[in-house]
Amino acid sequence: MRRDELTRWVGDTDAFLDRHWRSAPAVFRPGADAGPAAPLSLEEIDAAVAGGLLRVPHLELARAGDPVHSSRYTRARTVAGVTTPGYADPDRVRELLAEGATLVLRNVEHWHPATRALTRRLEGELGRRVEAFAFVTPPGAQGLDLHRDDADVLLLQGTGSKRWTVRGGPTGPDWGPGEVADGGPALLADTLGPGEVLYIPRGFAHEAVGSEGLSSHLSLTIREVGTQQLFASLQRLLLDGLPLPARPLDEAALHAAAELLLERFRTRLPELTAAALLDHARRAQLAEGAVPGLGGDPGIAALAARLGSPRDPAASAA
């Protein structure tokens, strides 16, 4: 299988999957010609913040040890008599950045077409949902304390530099994302410059501090299904199309519904494999995370072109 986009990020994809995927952090320095291009520039971030439509929760400001409440960097807007809070206030955002806060833009693929195209390419190559987050951090500042993410992370340094420390992963399956007090000894400590890539395996504790200049990076989170998604897929695979009554009225009807369920399980379970169940869960997750219409056809511009094109004379005559 070709993995052209992943190759731009990590080079030899077979070596990456064998040596690092889910097991070890790594830094990749592919070079300006071979490496990935940042799809989102600081100028585009500036335009989005100043554009008047970006709002919480797509926008957040964070500071390790000192959370920034959204009221400090957002304001309400009134449209058609309806007042809605949470819109970015560009002046307050810039002021807080200058004071050491980190700007976080969540799910950039929801509103930025080039980033959405990138996540779609990686989703096609990895078979997993990919989300994009942009971070802008002043020098010496830290947006988040040591924490774990419930996703594998590929991040690309855009401007400035940032010092990263990656520690160990969970020791068992009963763990959760969020801040951790102690992630164990450092497995990787390195400073990323423009065009360089860091891979953090799912659940590995990590933190970062801005180094030189205004640091910006794009973080791609590669989501994996869990037991809840597997259970939901199992239900769909076993029960789709089964004509079960919603509310059986008496004992006989309840007994018949139970027999119908058991018969379906007896018939379909022997045919179902773990690989098929996992594949169904991953495809369902991809479909659930899809953003309808973004970058798709026909789109408003394509529709306008189609409606404005000259009609077929033969069709008009008919």
Side-chain angles (χ1 to χ4, degrees), residues 4 24 89 96 101 108 114 133 163 175 201 229:
D4 295 337
D89 183 320
L96 286 166
V108 177
F133 300 78
R163 179 73 177 175
W175 65 280
Q229 289 87 357

Coordinates of all heavy atoms in Angstrom, one line a residue, residues 4 24 89 96 101 108 114 133 163 175 201 229:
D4 N 2.1 7.9 0.6 CA 2.9 9.0 0.1 C 2.9 10.2 1.2 O 4.0 10.8 1.4 CB 2.4 9.6 -1.2 CG 2.5 8.6 -2.3 OD1 3.4 7.7 -2.2 OD2 1.8 8.7 -3.3
A24 N 7.7 3.8 20.5 CA 8.8 4.7 20.9 C 8.7 6.0 20.2 O 8.4 6.1 19.0 CB 10.1 4.0 20.4
D89 N -11.8 37.5 20.4 CA -11.5 38.9 20.5 C -10.0 39.1 20.1 O -9.1 38.8 20.9 CB -11.7 39.5 21.9 CG -11.5 41.0 22.0 OD1 -10.5 41.5 21.3 OD2 -12.3 41.7 22.7
L96 N -2.8 38.4 25.4 CA -2.5 37.2 26.3 C -1.3 36.4 25.7 O -0.5 35.8 26.5 CB -3.7 36.3 26.4 CG -4.8 36.9 27.3 CD1 -6.1 36.1 27.1 CD2 -4.4 36.7 28.7
A101 N 0.7 33.3 27.2 CA -0.3 32.2 27.0 C -0.1 31.6 25.7 O 0.6 32.1 24.8 CB -1.7 32.8 27.1
V108 N -8.8 22.1 13.4 CA -8.6 23.0 12.3 C -9.2 22.5 11.0 O -9.6 23.2 10.1 CB -7.1 23.3 12.2 CG1 -6.8 24.2 11.0 CG2 -6.5 23.9 13.4
A114 N -7.2 23.3 3.4 CA -5.9 22.6 3.1 C -5.5 21.6 4.2 O -5.0 20.5 4.0 CB -4.8 23.7 3.0
F133 N -4.8 20.1 15.3 CA -4.7 21.1 16.3 C -3.5 22.0 16.0 O -2.4 21.5 15.8 CB -4.7 20.5 17.7 CG -5.8 19.6 18.0 CD1 -5.9 18.3 17.5 CD2 -6.9 20.1 18.8 CE1 -7.0 17.5 17.8 CE2 -8.0 19.3 19.1 CZ -8.0 18.0 18.6
R163 N 11.0 23.1 22.7 CA 11.7 22.0 23.4 C 10.7 21.0 23.9 O 9.8 21.3 24.7 CB 12.5 22.6 24.5 CG 13.3 21.5 25.3 CD 14.5 21.0 24.6 NE 15.3 20.1 25.4 CZ 16.4 19.4 24.9 NH1 16.8 19.6 23.7 NH2 17.0 18.6 25.7
W175 N -6.4 3.4 31.7 CA -5.7 4.7 31.9 C -6.6 5.7 31.1 O -7.5 5.4 30.4 CB -4.3 4.7 31.3 CG -4.3 4.5 29.8 CD1 -4.4 3.3 29.1 CD2 -4.2 5.5 28.7 NE1 -4.4 3.5 27.7 CE2 -4.3 4.8 27.5 CE3 -4.1 6.9 28.8 CZ2 -4.2 5.5 26.3 CZ3 -4.0 7.6 27.5 CH2 -4.1 6.8 26.3
P201 N 3.9 8.3 20.7 CA 2.9 7.2 20.7 C 1.8 7.5 21.6 O 1.8 8.3 22.5 CB 3.8 6.0 21.2 CG 5.2 6.4 21.0 CD 5.2 7.9 21.1
Q229 N -16.5 1.4 21.1 CA -16.7 1.4 19.7 C -16.8 -0.1 19.1 O -17.6 -0.3 18.3 CB -15.6 2.1 18.9 CG -15.6 3.6 19.1 CD -14.9 4.1 20.4 OE1 -14.3 3.3 21.1 NE2 -14.8 5.4 20.6

